[in-house]
Amino acid sequence: MAKYTRIEVALKMEEQGMVPLCFHSDIALSKQVVKAVFDGGGRILEFTNRSAFAHEVFAELSRYVKNELPGMCIGIGSITDAAAASFYMMCGADFIVTPSWKEDIARTCNRRKILYAPGVGSLTEVC
């Protein structure tokens, strides 16, 4: 489950000004990337769902972040349905990012009080 509230995640996003994005299927390399972001002052990171076994890497990475990197949020991106969003929330996602507006994901995140960030550029893309 998420370690941070959606308000805490939103405040970290605002404070940091950008959200670094990463993906690699190798957990050791992924940990090195996340640690480098953390050592550089980053306190939020989006991992992307880009392969068949991305969930395995994300689950391990989420445990690593929550146990070893105090104050860091980790979210998951490229989520396209509510089932995947729910699954990644159970793996520890602090926020969910989608490539477009998805009402079912918005409802799922809202019910669980997880920050949802649809990949849209304007309000007209939400409607």
Side-chain angles (χ1 to χ4, degrees):
M1 298 304 287
K3 184 173 182 178
Y4 297 97
T5 68
R6 55 187 164 190
I7 299 300
E8 290 170 323
V9 173
L11 290 172
K12 283 184 188 281
M13 285 179 173
E14 180 182 34
E15 181 182 313
Q16 192 164 297
M18 66 177 229
V19 178
L21 173 79
C22 78
F23 171 78
H24 201 283
S25 58
D26 181 86
I27 186 61
L29 184 58
S30 294
K31 284 180 180 178
Q32 289 175 357
V33 169
V34 173
K35 180 74 164 88
V37 169
F38 183 81
D39 289 346
R43 293 300 180 262
I44 193 162
L45 180 124
E46 175 189 338
F47 186 80
T48 56
N49 181 31
R50 290 192 181 166
S51 75
F53 297 100
H55 64 282
E56 292 177 2
V57 177
F58 181 81
E60 179 65 27
L61 202 56
S62 178
R63 281 189 292 274
Y64 170 71
V65 166
K66 290 176 183 12
N67 293 327
E68 304 294 328
L69 307 176
M72 182 142 194
C73 294
I74 186 165
I76 187 71
S78 300
I79 300 301
T80 58
D81 59 68
S86 292
F87 180 76
Y88 277 103
M89 285 182 226
M90 294 302 293
C91 291
D94 292 310
F95 61 96
I96 303 291
V97 179
T98 59
S100 61
W101 168 256
K102 299 286 189 172
E103 186 173 346
D104 61 335
I105 295 174
R107 289 182 189 277
T108 299
C109 290
N110 192 47
R111 278 188 213 112
R112 296 192 182 161
K113 300 189 182 332
I114 300 291
L115 185 126
Y116 169 54
V120 297
S122 69
L123 288 176
T124 57
E125 292 179 279
V126 173
C127 300

